[in-house]
């Protein structure tokens, strides 16, 4: 497996993109096959690899899974939190180059399947459409956000929630001029530090010119 320079990838979107590309090349995968497994567009994968755009935490985890790696191979995140977290003690972090901020609030233990973060989205931020295995729930803590599920649009405001099958193509958009904070809970392993991480995507050895 390609050894990833975490110190660089943590701060530089281009370094992150190069690390993802190197792993894809190691597996002899085409961008299209990775995009198909990750539930993302091939154009988005290309932009990420070139450092032109930054993935969300969920998209990075999905790409990592398609590359048969835990997301922790590409992103240094806060370690397994204790069962109890305090608002003033949680570290906020980002994916390199991204505007979204995250706070980890779930821990990890043998048999655990639930993962959770508080997400902070800046005004105008649009998340890339994605679909993947599992389920997830969003609860609006502050502000308002537009959620799209398979082309159906709903506006959620403070106190609203939505729970859905992650195989449905979904995305969010902060359509307001204020930051929004969301509680996200889901079965996708967005941390990659579970005792026995499961990677459901098996590489398909397809080559391409990309």
């Amino acid at each position: 497996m390609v050894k990833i320079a975490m110190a660089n990838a943590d701060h530089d979107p281009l370094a992150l993109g190069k690390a993802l590309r190197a792993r894809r090349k190691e597996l002899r995968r085409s961008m299209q096959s990775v995009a198909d497994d990750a539930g993302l567009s091939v154009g988005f994968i290309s932009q990420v690899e070139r450092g032109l755009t930054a993935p969300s935490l969920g998209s990075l985890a999905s790409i990592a899974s398609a590359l048969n790696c835990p997301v922790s191979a590409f992103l240094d995140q806060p370690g397994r939190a204790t069962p109890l977290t305090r608002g003033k003690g949680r570290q906020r972090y980002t994916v390199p180059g991204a505007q979204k901020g995250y706070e980890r609030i779930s821990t990890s233990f043998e048999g655990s399947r639930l993962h959770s973060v508080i997400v902070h989205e800046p005004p105008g931020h649009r998340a890339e459409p994605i679909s993947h295995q599992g389920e997830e729930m969003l609860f609006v803590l502050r502000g308002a956000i537009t959620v799209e599920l398979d082309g159906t649009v709903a506006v959620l405001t403070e106190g609203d929630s939505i729970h859905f099958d992650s195989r449905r193509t979904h995305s969010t958009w902060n359509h307001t001029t204020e930051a929004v904070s969301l509680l996200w809970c889901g079965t996708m392993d967005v941390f990659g530090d579970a005792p026995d991480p499961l990677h459901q995507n098996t590489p398909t050895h397809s080559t391409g010119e990309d």
Side-chain angles (χ1 to χ4, degrees):
M1 182 186 296
V2 173
K3 183 174 177 59
I4 298 160
M6 295 296 300
N8 293 325
D10 281 349
H11 304 286
D12 181 2
L14 182 56
L16 174 62
K18 286 181 176 178
L20 292 167
R21 179 180 174 83
R23 174 58 176 166
R24 177 174 65 80
K25 290 293 187 179
E26 181 186 39
L27 296 175
R28 298 179 58 81
R29 302 285 303 279
S30 68
M31 276 195 286
Q32 186 64 64
S33 71
V34 171
D36 290 343
D37 283 353
L40 294 158
S41 71
V42 67
F44 180 75
I45 298 295
S46 176
Q47 288 186 326
V48 169
E49 286 194 357
R50 290 181 290 156
L52 300 179
T53 193
S56 66
L57 179 59
S59 291
L60 180 58
S62 192
I63 295 170
S65 180
L67 296 173
N68 240 26
C69 285
V71 66
S72 55
F74 302 100
L75 179 66
D76 188 15
Q77 300 183 73
R80 296 178 191 173
T82 61
L84 172 66
T85 69
R86 303 283 188 184
K88 293 183 179 179
R90 288 191 297 266
Q91 175 186 349
R92 187 181 293 198
Y93 66 99
T94 64
V95 174
Q99 295 179 308
K100 272 187 179 182
Y102 302 92
E103 296 177 48
R104 180 173 183 168
I105 61 172
S106 63
T107 187
S108 179
F109 50 85
E110 189 69 35
S112 65
R113 293 292 179 266
L114 183 64
H115 310 279
S116 189
V117 291
I118 294 175
V119 184
H120 303 281
E121 289 197 16
H125 182 271
R126 283 182 180 268
E128 59 279 2
I130 186 173
S131 62
H132 53 87
Q133 293 294 321
E135 61 181 296
E136 54 197 276
M137 183 188 72
L138 290 174
F139 180 88
V140 181
L141 299 169
R142 183 186 64 184
I145 196 164
T146 296
V147 178
E148 184 171 347
L149 285 175
D150 286 338
T152 300
V153 175
V155 174
L156 277 62
T157 59
E158 186 171 323
D160 293 344
S161 67
I162 188 167
H163 180 204
F164 54 92
D165 184 334
S166 301
R167 291 174 298 180
R168 301 177 66 183
T169 300
H170 53 281
S171 63
T172 60
W173 170 38
N174 183 352
H175 60 277
T176 75
T177 59
E178 303 292 334
V180 62
S181 296
L182 314 166
L183 171 64
W184 178 90
C185 297
T187 54
M188 171 184 276
D189 183 1
V190 294
F191 304 120
D193 61 5
D196 295 299
L198 300 175
H199 308 297
Q200 297 178 347
N201 292 333
T202 301
T204 301
H205 293 284
S206 62
T207 60
E209 297 180 356
D210 48 11

